[in-house]
Amino acid sequence: IAGPSASGKSTLCEELVQKIPDSLWVSQDHYWKDPEQFPKVNRLKNWELPSGIDFDRLYHNLLDLKRGKSTVAPLWVRGKYPPKTQTILPRKVILAEGFRLWNDVRIRELFDFRIYMLIASTKPLILLYHDGFLRISLLKYNIESKDVKNYYKE
């Protein structure tokens, strides 16, 4: 899941990993290179450049997980470098998110599904989940309805 900062990527992954059995969530946010090396714009570090992300490590961690192997991945703690590490065990469903996730073609091609999130409205977007089934509804939400089957205006 890719998309701009604050588009809801992490929120969506947090919800999905709770609802999809045997799933895990890998965040690009744990793959920053040393922030002291980031270029500066007006004396501020530029976190938006792809060069600040360790795509090689992210790719190899995701590849290990897809092959069913455990992997040692970074665990970023803001303000501390180098990051700690964590061992991630493989799961049936791997969710990955980051604002630059699709910049690396190797990472893009690892996934069966690719989602780009761009929230352009503050109106609710409904996600329907049932075992083995996930659907996003773009129909209008009917807040007055008490019946889940009738949440959508015709």
Side-chain angles (χ1 to χ4, degrees):
I1 301 172
S5 296
S7 63
K9 301 176 300 294
S10 297
T11 301
L12 177 61
C13 283
E14 192 174 302
E15 290 294 317
L16 290 175
V17 83
Q18 290 178 19
K19 295 183 186 315
I20 299 173
D22 200 24
S23 65
L24 67 90
W25 165 25
V26 176
S27 175
Q28 172 199 292
D29 287 347
H30 292 288
Y31 290 84
W32 294 111
K33 293 180 180 175
D34 184 354
E36 294 304 315
Q37 305 303 315
F38 288 5
K40 292 185 179 179
V41 176
N42 297 326
R43 296 189 316 244
L44 298 173
K45 294 174 190 165
N46 187 344
W47 291 76
E48 300 292 316
L49 296 174
S51 61
I53 301 163
D54 189 348
F55 285 113
D56 284 333
R57 187 166 188 188
L58 177 56
Y59 169 74
H60 288 289
N61 287 155
L62 291 169
L63 185 62
D64 283 346
L65 293 168
K66 186 165 183 165
R67 290 177 173 168
K69 299 182 196 174
S70 62
T71 193
V72 177
L75 178 61
W76 181 266
V77 177
R78 191 167 296 277
K80 297 188 188 239
Y81 194 88
K84 295 180 180 183
T85 59
Q86 60 182 334
T87 299
I88 303 175
L89 302 175
R91 302 282 174 88
K92 186 175 180 181
V93 176
I94 303 166
L95 302 168
E97 59 86 14
F99 77 107
R100 294 275 189 193
L101 197 59
W102 305 144
N103 276 66
D104 188 301
V105 68
R106 299 169 304 164
I107 293 171
R108 243 189 351 255
E109 292 177 353
L110 280 177
F111 294 97
D112 299 318
F113 298 98
R114 291 177 288 282
I115 299 169
Y116 185 85
M117 287 188 67
L118 178 59
I119 305 301
S121 172
T122 57
K123 294 182 180 180
L125 180 66
I126 307 302
L127 272 175
L128 300 173
Y129 173 79
H130 189 285
D131 287 343
F133 178 75
L134 175 68
R135 177 171 68 93
I136 297 175
S137 174
L138 299 176
L139 300 174
K140 292 186 178 181
Y141 178 69
N142 183 352
I143 198 162
E144 298 170 0
S145 179
K146 300 293 182 208
D147 182 358
V148 74
K149 294 176 188 171
N150 296 321
Y151 273 167
Y152 312 98
K153 293 181 181 178
E154 298 294 327

